[in-house]
Amino acid sequence: MSFQAAVGEVDITPENPPYPSLWMGGYGWSPRGNHGAIARRLRAQCLVLWDGGVPKVLLRADLISIPRDVNQAIRGTLVGEGLVAASDLMLLASHTHSGPLYGDTKPSPRVMMGLTQADIDAVNGTTSLITDALVQLVRDTLDLERTDVTLSYAEGEAKIGHNRVADDFAVLDTVPVLRLDNTDGDLFAVVFGAACHPVSRGNDEVFDGEFPAVASELIENELGVPALFVQGACGDQEANDPHVPATTEQLGTVLGQAVVDLLGDDGFDAVTGPVSTAMTEVDLPFHTNTADPAVRAAVRAKYKLRLIVLPQADPNRRHAALMVKLIDAGELPTSMPMPIQRWRFGGLSILALAHEPVSAYDVNLHAAFPGNLWVMGYANECEGYIADNDTLRSGGNLHAGYEAGWNQDDDAIAGLGSYCVSYAWPGPLKFSDTVTPAAGTTERIVMDASLSLLNS
């Protein structure tokens, strides 16, 4: 079955003026800002696929993440204008750690970097300009001339990363590739992916689309068509060392060349319509029941102690102060919402997971679901790590508990230096101390919801 397609692009690299903030996201725990240095310009790309005249919109951007309120603003505007249905719109962040701080909620710029209110106001100004550009990009792409295309899918391999949590945990080397060809058989566009944290250049002050941008540019220069990168379940997948600019070039070249080589093969499976889309949202409870007043009081006491013993400039102290403030205001969250989206073609299913899912979800979903499956992460919104049960129950015994969200032998509050601090959550997500995750725990909730969508 033939689709119609269009691809649009916009530069979203912040420069002052007009962008009021050049603060950068991706690393804690002190202020980090750009001063005009740009290795590769940041961009957003939009692919619109018309299936029976109905648009399916994939919008990807060189951003660290998309907070929930920004996702809702973008989605609300485009759906409200009648341009696209809610489940037909997929937002994807590349998770580059060399881009701007985007949004003022999660991660919290005040907690993560100690920014002042004036700095945060500037961050919101830059966020607003980028958000407007993303919305306009979708409008503009929907107005572009449509090209009749056919789709096909294959998987390559690129060894560009490792599992930073444990040596015996999964390493995802698969490179999913969706090719779009026009009716003359010429390549029209490429969507490709990998699952690896874009941290290869290290913690400097240079804007860079990172190794995904190097790969995209290589593909585009070699083949002369747009190449759109999407991130996978890379919560525990780290770019290979050393983290220096030369590694960015090297890893991006390996990834890009893997895509070019794969596109030269004839082993692609046909991908057909009609396309079925669906979206659901689950609530992931915290391990500690913060809805219980007695539990909340105990959590408050633990955070009050941190306010006493931790230095004033410690980000963990800033986090503790915020938790006490939320408790006292009756605003402490009791769960983390997680959107999950599915696009099903003939010959390919795409599952888009919000937040930072670890590799176990990719492995377990592929084991449970037959056929071609592309698991994407950082989809629609990203406000924390989604670890599997083994990682969660191990806490500080694995990678200092960063992905689990707890350490110090205390699973009731956020672990020192863990993601729960930067993302401003009160503590880790719920887990069970069993090999098989119990009902109502994080891994079970995510897997059950994902498989329900895939099989519906």
Side-chain angles (χ1 to χ4, degrees):
M1 177 179 179
S2 179
F3 298 89
Q4 292 180 308
V7 177
E9 179 179 315
V10 67
D11 189 325
I12 57 169
T13 313
E15 295 182 87
N16 185 271
Y19 292 85
S21 165
L22 300 185
W23 290 114
M24 300 179 69
Y27 295 97
W29 299 96
S30 58
R32 169 177 173 249
N34 177 269
H35 299 278
I38 301 169
R40 272 159 289 269
R41 301 193 70 82
L42 309 175
R43 58 180 175 169
Q45 295 159 294
C46 179
L47 167 66
V48 179
L49 280 177
W50 284 271
D51 172 40
V54 178
K56 317 297 179 186
V57 177
L58 186 154
L59 174 64
R60 53 84 51 206
D62 292 328
L63 294 169
I64 180 68
S65 57
I66 301 172
R68 183 173 177 83
D69 61 336
V70 177
N71 167 38
Q72 291 176 334
I74 294 172
R75 188 172 299 276
T77 298
L78 295 171
V79 173
E81 292 178 1
L83 298 177
V84 61
S87 64
D88 292 347
L89 171 63
M90 187 181 295
L91 310 180
L92 301 163
S94 72
H95 201 47
T96 177
H97 283 48
S98 295
L101 191 59
Y102 190 54
D104 69 343
T105 54
K106 297 182 181 300
S108 165
R110 190 183 302 278
V111 171
M112 185 173 70
M113 300 197 305
L115 295 190
T116 67
Q117 187 57 52
D119 292 330
I120 295 171
D121 290 343
V123 167
N124 284 330
T126 286
T127 299
S128 179
L129 289 176
I130 293 174
T131 301
D132 289 346
L134 296 179
V135 170
Q136 191 59 46
L137 173 61
V138 174
R139 294 186 185 120
D140 292 343
T141 308
L142 285 164
D143 286 338
L144 290 177
E145 181 181 352
R146 307 178 190 184
T147 298
D148 291 330
V149 296
T150 57
L151 310 182
S152 55
Y153 177 80
E155 294 176 353
E157 181 181 85
K159 296 184 181 298
I160 59 175
H162 60 278
N163 195 308
R164 69 187 185 192
V165 171
D167 291 339
D168 59 346
F169 279 22
V171 178
L172 302 182
D173 294 326
T174 301
V175 178
V177 176
L178 180 70
R179 64 179 295 159
L180 290 75
D181 293 283
N182 65 27
T183 51
D184 292 330
D186 296 325
L187 193 63
F188 174 77
V190 178
V191 184
F192 72 103
C196 184
H197 255 73
V199 294
S200 59
R201 74 169 296 121
N203 185 359
D204 60 16
E205 297 179 340
V206 179
F207 281 142
D208 191 355
E210 258 274 351
F211 73 80
V214 175
S216 292
E217 290 175 5
L218 185 153
I219 297 165
E220 291 172 346
N221 290 336
E222 288 280 331
L223 304 177
V225 299
L228 292 75
F229 171 85
V230 297
Q231 187 60 265
C234 79
D236 55 359
Q237 305 289 295
E238 185 90 347
N240 285 336
D241 297 322
H243 292 174
V244 295
T247 303
T248 301
E249 297 282 354
Q250 187 257 328
L251 299 184
T253 299
V254 169
L255 177 58
Q257 193 60 53
V259 175
V260 171
D261 291 345
L262 185 66
L263 289 166
D265 296 338
D266 57 4
F268 279 73
D269 296 330
V271 174
T272 61
V275 184
S276 169
T277 68
M279 179 178 281
T280 190
E281 182 168 288
V282 295
D283 284 319
L284 304 178
F286 298 120
H287 194 61
T288 297
N289 181 14
T290 52
D292 184 323
V295 171
R296 223 166 31 245
V299 168
R300 186 184 189 280
K302 290 173 181 286
Y303 281 123
K304 283 291 287 186
L305 180 60
R306 284 189 177 178
L307 291 177
I308 295 171
V309 302
L310 293 178
Q312 189 75 28
D314 192 322
N316 296 288
R317 188 184 191 282
R318 296 194 293 266
H319 173 267
L322 176 59
M323 293 301 105
V324 171
K325 180 180 178 181
L326 292 175
I327 291 171
D328 291 348
E331 298 174 353
L332 193 72
T334 59
S335 63
M336 178 194 296
M338 181 180 182
I340 302 175
Q341 188 173 16
R342 182 262 292 150
W343 284 8
R344 182 171 59 238
F345 299 78
L348 174 66
S349 293
I350 294 174
L351 189 75
L353 301 175
H355 309 310
E356 302 201 44
V358 299
S359 58
Y361 289 100
D362 183 286
V363 173
N364 294 342
L365 285 164
H366 275 94
F369 184 77
N372 289 327
L373 173 63
W374 190 341
V375 178
M376 300 175 178
Y378 306 83
N380 297 309
E381 60 194 54
C382 177
E383 298 204 329
Y385 276 76
I386 308 299
D388 62 301
N389 197 67
D390 284 344
T391 302
L392 282 167
R393 69 191 180 115
S394 296
N397 293 326
L398 292 174
H399 201 222
Y402 182 81
E403 292 81 6
W406 66 281
N407 49 43
Q408 305 291 303
D409 297 322
D410 191 345
D411 59 17
I413 59 174
L416 296 175
S418 74
Y419 88 85
C420 285
V421 174
S422 58
Y423 278 106
W425 292 112
L429 296 172
K430 192 171 184 178
F431 58 90
S432 60
D433 195 21
T434 55
V435 173
T436 302
T441 58
T442 302
E443 183 177 331
R444 236 341 240 289
I445 292 171
V446 174
M447 286 295 297
D448 287 352
S450 296
L451 290 172
S452 177
L453 271 184
L454 287 170
N455 290 311
S456 64

mmCIF file with all atom_site columns, all heavy atoms in Angstrom, residues 9 86 105 155 185 225 260 307 347 386 447-448:
data_model
loop_
_atom_site.group_PDB
_atom_site.id
_atom_site.type_symbol
_atom_site.label_atom_id
_atom_site.label_alt_id
_atom_site.label_comp_id
_atom_site.label_asym_id
_atom_site.label_entity_id
_atom_site.label_seq_id
_atom_site.pdbx_PDB_ins_code
_atom_site.Cartn_x
_atom_site.Cartn_y
_atom_site.Cartn_z
_atom_site.occupancy
_atom_site.B_iso_or_equiv
_atom_site.pdbx_formal_charge
_atom_site.auth_seq_id
_atom_site.auth_comp_id
_atom_site.auth_asym_id
_atom_site.auth_atom_id
_atom_site.pdbx_PDB_model_num
ATOM 1  N N   . GLU A 1 9   ? 12.008 20.565 8.407  1.00 0.00 ? 9   GLU A N   1
ATOM 2  C CA  . GLU A 1 9   ? 13.117 20.722 9.343  1.00 0.00 ? 9   GLU A CA  1
ATOM 3  C C   . GLU A 1 9   ? 13.240 22.178 9.768  1.00 0.00 ? 9   GLU A C   1
ATOM 4  O O   . GLU A 1 9   ? 12.928 23.093 8.995  1.00 0.00 ? 9   GLU A O   1
ATOM 5  C CB  . GLU A 1 9   ? 14.426 20.261 8.682  1.00 0.00 ? 9   GLU A CB  1
ATOM 6  C CG  . GLU A 1 9   ? 15.656 20.402 9.551  1.00 0.00 ? 9   GLU A CG  1
ATOM 7  C CD  . GLU A 1 9   ? 16.914 19.912 8.849  1.00 0.00 ? 9   GLU A CD  1
ATOM 8  O OE1 . GLU A 1 9   ? 16.855 18.821 8.227  1.00 0.00 ? 9   GLU A OE1 1
ATOM 9  O OE2 . GLU A 1 9   ? 17.944 20.611 8.904  1.00 0.00 ? 9   GLU A OE2 1
ATOM 10 N N   . ALA A 1 86  ? -4.709 12.824 18.588 1.00 0.00 ? 86  ALA A N   1
ATOM 11 C CA  . ALA A 1 86  ? -3.759 12.709 19.695 1.00 0.00 ? 86  ALA A CA  1
ATOM 12 C C   . ALA A 1 86  ? -2.838 11.501 19.549 1.00 0.00 ? 86  ALA A C   1
ATOM 13 O O   . ALA A 1 86  ? -1.617 11.611 19.705 1.00 0.00 ? 86  ALA A O   1
ATOM 14 C CB  . ALA A 1 86  ? -4.511 12.643 21.025 1.00 0.00 ? 86  ALA A CB  1
ATOM 15 N N   . THR A 1 105 ? 10.584 22.227 35.013 1.00 0.00 ? 105 THR A N   1
ATOM 16 C CA  . THR A 1 105 ? 9.936  21.332 35.970 1.00 0.00 ? 105 THR A CA  1
ATOM 17 C C   . THR A 1 105 ? 10.786 20.095 36.255 1.00 0.00 ? 105 THR A C   1
ATOM 18 O O   . THR A 1 105 ? 11.331 19.941 37.344 1.00 0.00 ? 105 THR A O   1
ATOM 19 C CB  . THR A 1 105 ? 8.552  20.912 35.470 1.00 0.00 ? 105 THR A CB  1
ATOM 20 O OG1 . THR A 1 105 ? 8.669  20.357 34.145 1.00 0.00 ? 105 THR A OG1 1
ATOM 21 C CG2 . THR A 1 105 ? 7.610  22.108 35.433 1.00 0.00 ? 105 THR A CG2 1
ATOM 22 N N   . GLU A 1 155 ? 16.907 -4.201 10.178 1.00 0.00 ? 155 GLU A N   1
ATOM 23 C CA  . GLU A 1 155 ? 17.727 -3.892 11.347 1.00 0.00 ? 155 GLU A CA  1
ATOM 24 C C   . GLU A 1 155 ? 19.187 -4.178 11.064 1.00 0.00 ? 155 GLU A C   1
ATOM 25 O O   . GLU A 1 155 ? 19.536 -5.237 10.536 1.00 0.00 ? 155 GLU A O   1
ATOM 26 C CB  . GLU A 1 155 ? 17.272 -4.708 12.559 1.00 0.00 ? 155 GLU A CB  1
ATOM 27 C CG  . GLU A 1 155 ? 15.874 -4.340 13.037 1.00 0.00 ? 155 GLU A CG  1
ATOM 28 C CD  . GLU A 1 155 ? 15.369 -5.195 14.180 1.00 0.00 ? 155 GLU A CD  1
ATOM 29 O OE1 . GLU A 1 155 ? 16.057 -6.186 14.527 1.00 0.00 ? 155 GLU A OE1 1
ATOM 30 O OE2 . GLU A 1 155 ? 14.296 -4.868 14.719 1.00 0.00 ? 155 GLU A OE2 1
ATOM 31 N N   . GLY A 1 185 ? 11.118 4.213  -7.044 1.00 0.00 ? 185 GLY A N   1
ATOM 32 C CA  . GLY A 1 185 ? 12.091 3.350  -6.403 1.00 0.00 ? 185 GLY A CA  1
ATOM 33 C C   . GLY A 1 185 ? 13.288 4.086  -5.842 1.00 0.00 ? 185 GLY A C   1
ATOM 34 O O   . GLY A 1 185 ? 14.250 3.450  -5.388 1.00 0.00 ? 185 GLY A O   1
ATOM 35 N N   . VAL A 1 225 ? 19.238 12.411 1.105  1.00 0.00 ? 225 VAL A N   1
ATOM 36 C CA  . VAL A 1 225 ? 17.854 12.447 1.582  1.00 0.00 ? 225 VAL A CA  1
ATOM 37 C C   . VAL A 1 225 ? 17.852 12.759 3.072  1.00 0.00 ? 225 VAL A C   1
ATOM 38 O O   . VAL A 1 225 ? 18.850 12.558 3.756  1.00 0.00 ? 225 VAL A O   1
ATOM 39 C CB  . VAL A 1 225 ? 17.134 11.094 1.335  1.00 0.00 ? 225 VAL A CB  1
ATOM 40 C CG1 . VAL A 1 225 ? 17.086 10.790 -0.161 1.00 0.00 ? 225 VAL A CG1 1
ATOM 41 C CG2 . VAL A 1 225 ? 17.804 9.966  2.108  1.00 0.00 ? 225 VAL A CG2 1
ATOM 42 N N   . VAL A 1 260 ? 23.936 3.368  6.240  1.00 0.00 ? 260 VAL A N   1
ATOM 43 C CA  . VAL A 1 260 ? 24.221 3.419  4.798  1.00 0.00 ? 260 VAL A CA  1
ATOM 44 C C   . VAL A 1 260 ? 24.444 2.016  4.245  1.00 0.00 ? 260 VAL A C   1
ATOM 45 O O   . VAL A 1 260 ? 23.918 1.646  3.175  1.00 0.00 ? 260 VAL A O   1
ATOM 46 C CB  . VAL A 1 260 ? 25.439 4.325  4.523  1.00 0.00 ? 260 VAL A CB  1
ATOM 47 C CG1 . VAL A 1 260 ? 25.876 4.208  3.060  1.00 0.00 ? 260 VAL A CG1 1
ATOM 48 C CG2 . VAL A 1 260 ? 25.113 5.774  4.856  1.00 0.00 ? 260 VAL A CG2 1
ATOM 49 N N   . LEU A 1 307 ? 18.335 18.525 55.578 1.00 0.00 ? 307 LEU A N   1
ATOM 50 C CA  . LEU A 1 307 ? 18.497 19.978 55.633 1.00 0.00 ? 307 LEU A CA  1
ATOM 51 C C   . LEU A 1 307 ? 19.467 20.387 56.738 1.00 0.00 ? 307 LEU A C   1
ATOM 52 O O   . LEU A 1 307 ? 20.143 21.419 56.640 1.00 0.00 ? 307 LEU A O   1
ATOM 53 C CB  . LEU A 1 307 ? 17.139 20.650 55.866 1.00 0.00 ? 307 LEU A CB  1
ATOM 54 C CG  . LEU A 1 307 ? 16.136 20.583 54.720 1.00 0.00 ? 307 LEU A CG  1
ATOM 55 C CD1 . LEU A 1 307 ? 14.810 21.234 55.119 1.00 0.00 ? 307 LEU A CD1 1
ATOM 56 C CD2 . LEU A 1 307 ? 16.690 21.250 53.473 1.00 0.00 ? 307 LEU A CD2 1
ATOM 57 N N   . GLY A 1 347 ? 3.522  -5.342 9.084  1.00 0.00 ? 347 GLY A N   1
ATOM 58 C CA  . GLY A 1 347 ? 4.947  -5.661 9.002  1.00 0.00 ? 347 GLY A CA  1
ATOM 59 C C   . GLY A 1 347 ? 5.821  -4.941 10.008 1.00 0.00 ? 347 GLY A C   1
ATOM 60 O O   . GLY A 1 347 ? 7.026  -5.204 10.066 1.00 0.00 ? 347 GLY A O   1
ATOM 61 N N   . ILE A 1 386 ? 12.844 4.844  34.112 1.00 0.00 ? 386 ILE A N   1
ATOM 62 C CA  . ILE A 1 386 ? 11.959 3.699  34.298 1.00 0.00 ? 386 ILE A CA  1
ATOM 63 C C   . ILE A 1 386 ? 12.845 2.457  34.314 1.00 0.00 ? 386 ILE A C   1
ATOM 64 O O   . ILE A 1 386 ? 13.216 1.916  33.268 1.00 0.00 ? 386 ILE A O   1
ATOM 65 C CB  . ILE A 1 386 ? 10.903 3.604  33.178 1.00 0.00 ? 386 ILE A CB  1
ATOM 66 C CG1 . ILE A 1 386 ? 10.165 4.932  33.004 1.00 0.00 ? 386 ILE A CG1 1
ATOM 67 C CG2 . ILE A 1 386 ? 9.925  2.473  33.489 1.00 0.00 ? 386 ILE A CG2 1
ATOM 68 C CD1 . ILE A 1 386 ? 9.399  5.403  34.219 1.00 0.00 ? 386 ILE A CD1 1
ATOM 69 N N   . MET A 1 447 ? 5.111  -3.384 31.487 1.00 0.00 ? 447 MET A N   1
ATOM 70 C CA  . MET A 1 447 ? 5.054  -4.508 30.554 1.00 0.00 ? 447 MET A CA  1
ATOM 71 C C   . MET A 1 447 ? 3.609  -4.877 30.224 1.00 0.00 ? 447 MET A C   1
ATOM 72 O O   . MET A 1 447 ? 3.285  -5.119 29.053 1.00 0.00 ? 447 MET A O   1
ATOM 73 C CB  . MET A 1 447 ? 5.788  -5.713 31.143 1.00 0.00 ? 447 MET A CB  1
ATOM 74 C CG  . MET A 1 447 ? 7.301  -5.586 31.130 1.00 0.00 ? 447 MET A CG  1
ATOM 75 S SD  . MET A 1 447 ? 8.002  -5.519 29.450 1.00 0.00 ? 447 MET A SD  1
ATOM 76 C CE  . MET A 1 447 ? 7.533  -7.135 28.815 1.00 0.00 ? 447 MET A CE  1
ATOM 77 N N   . ASP A 1 448 ? 2.758  -4.935 31.225 1.00 0.00 ? 448 ASP A N   1
ATOM 78 C CA  . ASP A 1 448 ? 1.358  -5.303 30.968 1.00 0.00 ? 448 ASP A CA  1
ATOM 79 C C   . ASP A 1 448 ? 0.687  -4.284 30.047 1.00 0.00 ? 448 ASP A C   1
ATOM 80 O O   . ASP A 1 448 ? -0.036 -4.659 29.105 1.00 0.00 ? 448 ASP A O   1
ATOM 81 C CB  . ASP A 1 448 ? 0.589  -5.404 32.285 1.00 0.00 ? 448 ASP A CB  1
ATOM 82 C CG  . ASP A 1 448 ? 0.953  -6.644 33.089 1.00 0.00 ? 448 ASP A CG  1
ATOM 83 O OD1 . ASP A 1 448 ? 1.680  -7.503 32.551 1.00 0.00 ? 448 ASP A OD1 1
ATOM 84 O OD2 . ASP A 1 448 ? 0.513  -6.747 34.253 1.00 0.00 ? 448 ASP A OD2 1
#
